[in-house]
Amino acid sequence: MKEFYTHINNKVYYTLVIIMTTLMMMGLLLDNPRFGELKIGYILHSVLILALVACLLLYPRYRNYQSRIIIIIVGSAYLYTIFFLYPDTWSTFILLCFIPAISILFFDSKLFYFSLILNGLLITVTYSYIMLMDQENRYAHMKSDLIGNVSNFIGSQVIIYCIYHLYQLRIKKQQLYYEQLQHSERLKTTGQLAAAVAHEIRNPLTAVKGFLQFYSEKDTLSSKDVKDHFTLMIDELNTAEQVISQFLCIAKPDKEKKMEIVNVQAVLQSVTDLLKSYGLVRDNTIELNVDEDCYIYANAIEYKQLMINIIKNAIEASKSGDSVIVQVNRKNHFVEMKVIDTGCGMSKAEVESLGTPFYSLKSNGTGLGLMICYHIVEKFNGRIDFQSTIDEGTTVTIRFPSNK
Ligand code: ADP
Ligand code: MG
């Protein structure tokens, strides 16, 4: 009832508790064959109602696993007590079947399995008692059709399990959807911000570059040194322009960027050739294993940019001498690429922060690489997942729909 309690407000929770209390009190006071008896059974019935109501009223204050277990145990004790105490009311057996359903409201899978197993054990004990010890035939309705009752009980447990399972699946799906939504919202906002800044910087850069080109062609610059400086300045400005264009493409998908059938093997070969020298600095090698005929529908330049970012990160995380494995497999409807390193790895919280703009743990990192990667993957209807363990390494899995 944790989520139940948080999402539906206090009023609804307490109204439900009041309704349940009223029903339990009606059972205790109205037309009860044991009403007024000062025997152990009736007293136990009353005490269990008080205990259950107290637990439910206190639960919002102590919302933890222990208090949930206590509610399930007290609830089970109450329902089994009324089952044994009022043998003529055969319908209490239905309530016994549905005890595990109560735990579904708490959104706690451990509790659900606990309740399912506990109820299975209690029903077995109950049946054994009725079959072996009940000489007076007080529970004749249970005895008369043993197989029917047992199979009904099992059937009800299977139904409850199915409901629980489907419910869990739906919740997980919603969580995933919510995370993806948050992620793409974040991308959208940064994209817009980046575009605005990049746009403002591009114009002054173009002006400066134009003037530099103009002066570099003038004969007055006779000295070779000065000419070299001009070439250097123009090159640097070209790099800056490239970075800005990259930013702009995040916000406004460039319509001119054509979609094509990309040969994964060829692109990855050129990426590994390019990064080979980068790995050599700390003696890291790249192992490439690609299935034949892996084709995807994307933009080759952007796909290359994506793989460079991911493999570069893997090399940067690796210890010296380790290899980075790039493995590509063709599955039925998609191409799956894995970039595996045995480097420093990441904690769960770090993995959750990936793709956030400017998130970087490196002294010279920009924290933009993965943001761009997420953007490219999303654009080509792919998926990217990180599996990482601290000090053991990281596996990045990227999937794209395959183009046969
Ligand atoms: P940058 O590489 O500039 O830091 P990225 O967006 O590429 O930015 O990566 C963000 C952060 O994610 C990195 O700083 C690093 O901490 C973490 N990271 C990415 N890939 C890996 C990996 N394979 N192993 C461990 N950490 C990684
Ligand atoms: Mg990087």
Side-chain angles (χ1 to χ4, degrees), residues 309-310 313-317 341 343-346 350 354-356 359-362 364-371 386 388 393-394 396:
N309 276 330
I310 301 286
N313 278 346
I315 294 175
E316 285 161 2
D341 70 70
C344 59
M346 289 173 275
E350 281 167 11
L354 296 180
T356 309
Y359 171 77
S360 174
L361 297 180
K362 298 169 195 163
N364 57 350
T366 59
L368 289 175
L370 287 182
M371 183 190 81
F386 289 81
S388 194
T394 306
V396 187

Side-chain angles (χ1 to χ4, degrees), residues 264 268 289-296 325-338 340 397-400 402:
V264 174
L268 286 181
N289 285 316
V290 186
D291 275 358
E292 270 182 16
D293 293 336
C294 286
Y295 294 98
I296 57 171
I325 300 171
V326 181
Q327 196 174 307
V328 181
N329 296 105
R330 191 158 46 90
K331 306 266 160 128
N332 252 352
H333 299 291
F334 52 86
V335 177
E336 186 182 75
M337 304 138 206
K338 286 190 175 201
I340 307 164
T397 310
I398 302 162
R399 284 178 180 174
F400 279 116
S402 104

Side-chain angles (χ1 to χ4, degrees), residues 133-202:
M133 318 280 278
D134 179 29
Q135 305 306 333
E136 300 158 36
N137 265 342
R138 295 179 73 205
Y139 307 94
H141 59 278
M142 299 285 289
K143 249 183 186 172
S144 57
D145 184 11
L146 174 74
I147 304 288
N149 279 323
V150 170
S151 53
N152 279 350
F153 175 77
I154 295 174
S156 66
Q157 304 306 286
V158 172
I159 292 173
I160 290 173
Y161 179 77
C162 289
I163 293 174
Y164 161 79
H165 185 67
L166 293 175
Y167 210 44
Q168 274 300 89
L169 281 184
R170 173 56 72 92
I171 288 175
K172 274 192 192 142
K173 241 189 199 167
Q174 268 182 347
Q175 255 172 356
L176 198 72
Y177 172 71
Y178 182 66
E179 275 167 22
Q180 281 174 348
L181 200 73
Q182 263 188 331
H183 202 87
S184 50
E185 260 318 294
R186 217 158 45 185
L187 274 181
K188 211 170 109 190
T189 327
T190 31
Q192 281 164 350
L193 186 73
V197 175
H199 199 260
E200 290 310 307
I201 295 174
R202 196 184 228 179

